[in-house]
Amino acid sequence: VESILEQLLSGLRDSDTVVRWSSAKGIGRITNRLPLELADDVVGGAVDLLAPDEQASAWHGGCLALAELARRGLLLPARLPEVLPRVVSALHYDVPRGTTSVGTHVRDAACYVCWAFARAFDAAVMAPHVAQLAQSLLVVVTFDREVNVRRAASAAFQENVGRQGSFPHGIEIVTRADYFALGSRPNAYLRVAPFLASLEEYRPMLLRHLLEVKSRHWDESVRLLAAQAAARAAPLAPEWTVEVMLPALCKRALSLDLKERTGAV
């Protein structure tokens, strides 16, 4: 069994998506029949794949394995403080490669993990992590470049609202940020995002993401939408805009990096 699990864990790094998916499924089914101590070791092996020095394929395989383990009840609540920050990093995984980037499949798999969390844990277990999870998911819901990732994040958020019941303004958000509203990127940026920014619990995270990530994004169309979204959302936080956003943008306007300069302007 040990050698089989070792082979499956190595399969999570494979360059072929089908191999990673099959390995994750196999790990979930085999681990379900192991003693608790050994099962937790397997969970640790999957968590270790979500590391900065790992390739995108390893992040994708690790997320798939964690989702399969979580939905089978094999990811123990004691692991959540360690796992959740790595899953949040996976939600925003985007590595530029020339004129494009790698990471869409990783972000999609991270949404699957968040969906599995909703089904695996009681509301009392998830309560300390609700704020971090809700804010991170809504950033993806509104600002991700890819429509399938925005919709996957929305499905994960909806599942958590329905099963956990403690996400602030959950029902109101689900009705506004639905499957069809997120199908258009401009609609997500210019209508859904300002609505979410009007909610005090989510405003700081959304504005910081616009400033730190999307205003210097590799895609010019995303930078333009980020500027338009900031123009609609920033007036809701005038002090932060004057003291933090504007000085940062003025500094970037002189940057040698063309993406930063055009995004700031």
Side-chain angles (χ1 to χ4, degrees), residues 141-238:
V141 164
T142 51
F143 296 139
D144 199 277
R145 183 177 181 271
E146 308 300 333
V147 60
N148 63 302
V149 180
R150 292 197 299 273
R151 285 172 168 170
S154 176
F157 186 86
Q158 181 176 345
E159 190 74 16
N160 276 276
V161 169
R163 291 182 180 271
Q164 303 297 332
S166 55
F167 277 38
H169 308 283
I171 299 298
E172 189 178 0
I173 292 171
V174 166
T175 57
R176 294 290 293 269
D178 61 14
Y179 182 90
F180 299 102
L182 301 174
S184 165
R185 194 192 305 164
N187 192 67
Y189 270 77
L190 304 181
R191 293 189 178 180
V192 177
F195 162 71
L196 295 178
S198 68
L199 305 175
E200 189 175 353
E201 293 87 347
Y202 305 113
R203 186 184 306 140
M205 184 76 171
L206 293 170
L207 288 172
R208 281 199 304 270
H209 188 79
L210 283 173
L211 175 62
E212 299 297 334
V213 180
K214 289 301 185 282
S215 67
R216 57 177 79 172
H217 196 270
W218 58 269
D219 188 337
E220 183 180 356
S221 64
V222 171
R223 295 198 299 270
L224 178 59
L225 282 172
Q228 294 171 334
R232 299 189 180 196
L236 298 171

Side-chain angles (χ1 to χ4, degrees), residues 26 49 95 105 151 196 238 249 262:
L49 294 175
V95 179
H105 60 320
R151 285 172 168 170
L196 295 178
L249 293 176
T262 56

Side-chain angles (χ1 to χ4, degrees), residues 66 70-71 75 80 83-84 87 112-122 126 133 160 164:
L66 286 174
R71 64 191 288 263
L75 181 61
L80 273 178
V83 172
L84 195 58
V87 174
Y112 179 31
V113 179
C114 296
W115 176 88
F117 282 173
R119 302 174 72 89
F121 299 113
D122 290 334
M126 288 297 296
L133 185 59
N160 276 276
Q164 303 297 332

